[in-house]
Amino acid sequence: MIRRAGVGDFDRLREIEVAAGAAFRDVGMPHIADDAPPSDADLLAFVDAGAAWVSEVDGVVAAYLVAERVDGRVHVAQVSVDPAFRGLGLGAALIDHVDDGGGVTLTTFADVPWNAPYYRRIGFRVVEPTGGLREVVRREAEAGLDPATRVCMVRG
């Protein structure tokens, strides 16, 4: 079941983020694994904008997605799945849920198996950043993400 996220979900969303992020240690990216999960203020901004969703499995929040508008399209700012629920298609279902038919964008790591290669399998393609996507890449770089390791992708 997919539903809008609320303030009561914030602790669980952070748990998911930490658990999902731990896998980055296995690909030599401990700095990503150690990155702090989103703050209440960050999550509240998405909730207040009506741009935060969770996927539940048997009443347990198992995945979440937060989005924004970039260049007139839905932009996936973050999608994370609890590793205990990996392989159920929850991330893809959340992306499908927010797809309003105008295309979906995201930025991701080019060479991490569950990032760009995964998104290619569910219909995304790499694009050069233009307009708002350039701004997203700039903000990511300010936050410590190396733009040389990242790609912009679009579906639709």
Side-chain angles (χ1 to χ4, degrees):
M1 178 183 88
I2 294 175
R3 64 168 173 79
R4 295 249 184 211
V7 174
D9 295 311
F10 289 2
D11 287 341
R12 178 65 180 138
L13 301 188
R14 282 189 282 273
E15 288 174 5
I16 291 169
E17 191 66 24
V18 169
F24 283 94
R25 282 189 180 80
D26 297 336
V27 293
M29 300 172 83
H31 60 289
I32 301 300
D34 294 336
D35 195 30
S39 68
D40 280 356
D42 292 337
L43 293 170
L44 187 59
F46 288 109
V47 166
D48 285 349
W53 295 266
V54 298
S55 178
E56 292 184 348
V57 175
D58 296 328
V60 175
V61 173
Y64 80 97
L65 181 148
V66 293
E68 59 188 329
R69 283 267 170 204
V70 174
D71 295 332
R73 291 183 168 144
V74 173
H75 178 77
V76 176
Q78 182 64 40
V79 59
S80 293
V81 177
D82 183 323
F85 296 93
R86 196 172 287 142
L88 300 178
L90 302 178
L94 283 162
I95 291 169
D96 290 346
H97 184 78
V98 301
D99 187 345
D100 61 5
V104 177
T105 62
L106 54 82
T107 58
T108 194
F109 289 105
D111 297 322
V112 174
W114 61 90
N115 278 199
Y118 166 76
Y119 293 118
R120 278 188 193 96
R121 287 194 303 273
I122 64 169
F124 283 82
R125 68 185 189 289
V126 173
V127 295
E128 288 297 316
T130 59
L133 284 177
R134 266 197 302 270
E135 175 61 18
V136 170
V137 171
R138 186 194 65 72
R139 288 191 323 243
E140 290 179 348
E142 283 182 355
L145 297 177
D146 179 359
T149 66
R150 308 281 290 166
V151 291
C152 297
M153 302 186 84
V154 65
R155 182 177 80 179

